[in-house]
Amino acid sequence: MKPYRVLLYYNYTPIPNPEAYREIHHLYCLENNLLGRIIVAPEGLNGTVSGLAEDCERYMQWLENDPIFVGSNFDFKVEAHEKHAFAKLHVRVKEEIVNSDLPVNPRVKTGKHLEPAAFKEMLKNDPDVVLVDMRSNYEHAVGKFKGAITFDMETLRELPEHVQEIEHLKDKKIITYCTGGIKCEKASAYLLERGFENVYQLHGGIIKYGLEEGGEDFEGKCYVFDNRVTTEVNQINPKVISKCYICDTDCDKMVNCANPTCNEHVPICADCLVKMEGACSEECKSHPRKRPYNPDGYYSKQSDNYTPEFGFKSRQKTEVDYSNFRLEV
């Protein structure tokens, strides 16, 4: 039995004082040995964290019992892992819990949620269904649903530039999907704003579909934002769809280039990783800033202005009122 857990979650519930909540949330994670990336925003909370099973269970209970979130649904996606999936802990305050700049509010209007079983059933039996991937190009390059439409976009901010690519499908049933469901809350809402009428979203995303339905027809691996880089999803009919960036052989080993000035997300096979010392090109291999070879292909970002206790030094420190927050479960 793997002793650690990796949690993926989000919650579109307004947080009245994001700065204060960031501080108490970060303190809780530090005291409970949790690592990961958590975003706090006025519109809600988004996180991926790892820790021992008992620490993660306590953390989920703490969130669900917090007065801010009582009555809402976190819908945690929980994967077993042999160790921490992160090297650090970051809890940041941002304007949005997923970068989009889309003029929508998923608490007001969003696509119809499809649980994994209903999603699988609709795909098998409804000829009018069209799957649309709302992730970035480097994510769907290593894995996507069979037959899904993908966009060549770096972030969700670029979605308005690509909607015309599916305008001719407005009479179809559109199902959006992403890693854990968070992007689809806004992406599906945006499609509704643009005149699409039958818009659905895979609730809980690719990860939940893999956990509950075995991941059938998800081809390749799912890109994740921790030091695993990718995770297995399909236990039924797996297929490798990506090729090594260097030698063009079939490969689903997704890595970051060892050159930090490049840091490209690409598939590189084990042989090429060794030969290129983790770099994606000869130029990157000889770059003076190239990081030491890491066979995992993952390199933590350096945050020079960040400390666990105070966040980013560049942010003006504000007086924090802790009276409405608590650490106990």
Side-chain angles (χ1 to χ4, degrees), residues 205-230:
I206 300 162
I207 299 298
K208 187 176 181 180
Y209 178 71
L211 291 170
E212 295 188 4
E213 295 297 326
E216 185 175 3
D217 288 336
F218 184 84
E219 299 179 336
K221 290 184 178 179
C222 182
Y223 188 96
V224 290
F225 295 87
D226 56 61
N227 60 13
R228 295 173 298 167
V229 187
T230 60

Side-chain angles (χ1 to χ4, degrees), residues 3 47 60 67 84 94 139 170 177 244:
M60 289 188 286
H84 262 300
K94 294 189 175 183
E139 295 176 79
K170 282 189 173 181
Y177 73 87
C244 177

Side-chain angles (χ1 to χ4, degrees), residues 159 198 202 326:
L159 179 59
N198 295 311
L202 173 56
R326 55 191 176 82

